[in-house]
Amino acid sequence: MARILITSALPYINGIKHLGNLVGSQLPADLYARYARARGHEVMFICATDEHGTPAEIAAAKAGQNVAEYCAELHQVQADLARGFGLSFNHFGRSSSARNRALTQHFAARLGAAGLIEEVSEKQVYSPTDGRFLPDRYIEGTCPNCGYERARGDQCEECTKQLDPTDLIDPRSAISGATDLEVRETRHLYLRQSKLRDTLDQWVDSQKGWPVLTTSIAKKWLHDGDGLQDRGITRDLDWGVPAQFEGAPWQGMEGKVFYVWFDAPIEYIAATAEWADAHGKDEAAWRRWWRTDEGAGDVRYVQFMGKDNVPFHTLSFPATLIGSGEPWKMVDYIKSFNYLNYDGGQFSTSLGRGVFMDQALGILPGDYWRWWLLSHAPENSDAEFTWENFQASVNKDLADVLGNLVSRVTKFCRSKFGEVVPEGGSFGAREDQLIADFRTRLQAYERHMEAMEIRKSAAELRALWVLGNEYLQDAAPWSAFKTDPDMAAAQIRLSLNLIRFYAVLSQPFIPEASARMMAALNCDDWSWPEDPATALGTLPAGHAFEVPDVLFAKITDDQRAAWAAQFSGTG
RNA sequence: GGGCCUGUAGCUCAAUUGGUUAGAGCAGAGCGCUCAUAACGCUUUGGUUGGGGGUUCGAGUCCCUCCGGGCCUACCA
């Protein structure tokens, strides 16, 4: 038994996330957390909403709410959706928590004391109309390169040229359209991560078996151009962790807050503290996960994220932890994902293109989505969601291979033996072969799950389901029943146990369906089948069960067509 | 511009890291079964591994080049 700390990249508070966001971090993290728990490990699975930053302030203003109210509301919405998808966080925190404020300021003070924070005076665009400094991308204007009129201050989307906001012709605020923009001098704190470049480089080198995607992005940032750049970690905003606080090693930072990408990863730690608070536990309870000098020495820490988050997790956050000079637990493995596209293009919030978490749950239960998303996780390259593919996978894998197996076994038993595990008969060569096959495939499944090879795990799980259908076809208890009812009884006894076996194995992928399978069997023995032969004897003869409702309904062609039209974003 | 990833059967993906005849699932074809959500099982068609060149006893895998798709490039988070 090991102790495993798992974090999923924090979903931003600004609105409901789409399926691409879900499959890029929270869902695979949940799969791994569920599997680790099923294997008896002690797991701390942490996620939270990332609530600070300009987009949150603007979204709140648009909604006519103050930021705190807006965030509280959206946090609840996201928490409810997470529950709908069966995400089994030990805690789903908020980066705006008091815990995070204290920890963020703690790290900032430590970094300051270590000489790793520098005050830099720079020029930023200020909008009097909006009453705020504008991040580059919130300034629009005409591109000096190609003449595109809606170029953004960071880059022109038309000609892809990188821009500085002051390059724009006729610049205006993307928020209000105001043109009375001015350039103001402002002072900010910079994290001098360039001083830690060699340390970070060696640390990345010392990691074994990280996905190429993870290391290549880290290496790029470490070695591109002049190497790792220092990074501003404060912003001129109201909403966030105040950069000026008691004990701060600097002055004059009133009215400024830490940049989200400084405080968001720290929330991983803070959320664990929030977990302790929520469960009436003491400080030691969360520190044993995070401080190697207070019990975290034997913790294995795994992070899940989309590729866009890799630089922050391979460089900025480690720089924060190392720079603090304190023995904080560093990540052991970073599992990163490519993007999920929607039917030939990108998911688009503004165009209403693609399926968002709330809409998905409105159509079908979470397990349907979990199965498709996980079995098609964008591990090696970007993946694509199409309704045809979704329909085919759900109908074939879930309804036909697994769901129908449960139906045929339970219904056959009910009609011939009643809703009780039948007694009599004994196992022979056929059953021995099945168990031998299970041993082989189960090992492969476990190996892939431990390696976080998600698609391969899904394929292996499906192969395990198929073995059940093959066995049943071969054993043909409906024939055996006519000549040798005892043999049929033994076959069905094994088959009913097969359902429990599958419920346990499938639980990380489709927890809700697994729970229904177990409920139908009147069983709550979720112990992992260390040995298939033993596991297939869990339900004894005479044990009562019920025939469950259809486990997975099929998606009809009409439904598929209607949904494809509904989410195309053209209407 | 620079960097990285990627291109394998009609579709979605594998291929033990250079090693026999490139494998699965879906779709297609044929057969079987009748317990089951018209489900399941068996058999089977289908590939000049994007094109070209090279290294090697041997290349899907390594090198060069061309073509296509995608991502990142530090102030979106």
Side-chain angles (χ1 to χ4, degrees), chain A residues 21-57:
Chain A
N21 298 128
L22 182 64
V23 74
S25 54
Q26 290 169 292
L27 199 49
D30 183 67
L31 180 77
Y32 189 62
R34 285 177 174 276
Y35 174 73
R37 290 192 195 103
R39 296 308 306 273
H41 301 308
E42 186 182 0
V43 168
M44 180 59 69
F45 177 26
I46 290 294
C47 194
T49 39
D50 178 12
E51 305 192 357
H52 296 140
T54 308
E57 291 196 354

Side-chain angles (χ1 to χ4, degrees), chain A residues 248-309:
Chain A
W250 45 75
Q251 294 301 317
M253 286 291 145
E254 287 81 7
K256 298 174 197 290
V257 301
F258 286 105
Y259 175 46
V260 278
W261 268 114
F262 183 69
D263 80 62
I266 296 171
E267 170 64 8
Y268 292 145
I269 305 173
T272 315
E274 291 171 49
W275 162 84
D277 294 341
H279 292 83
K281 295 178 185 292
D282 59 14
E283 292 292 289
W286 68 266
R287 294 177 74 90
R288 67 191 279 274
W289 288 98
W290 283 101
R291 288 290 294 241
T292 56
D293 58 336
E294 297 178 48
D298 64 344
V299 167
R300 173 168 162 79
Y301 177 19
V302 182
Q303 293 175 341
F304 290 80
M305 71 198 67
K307 58 185 167 188
D308 49 338
N309 280 345

Side-chain angles (χ1 to χ4, degrees), chain A residues 317-333:
Chain A
F317 187 41
T320 299
L321 297 180
I322 292 170
S324 76
E326 297 172 327
W328 293 97
K329 176 64 193 172
M330 303 274 287
V331 68
D332 293 301
Y333 190 83

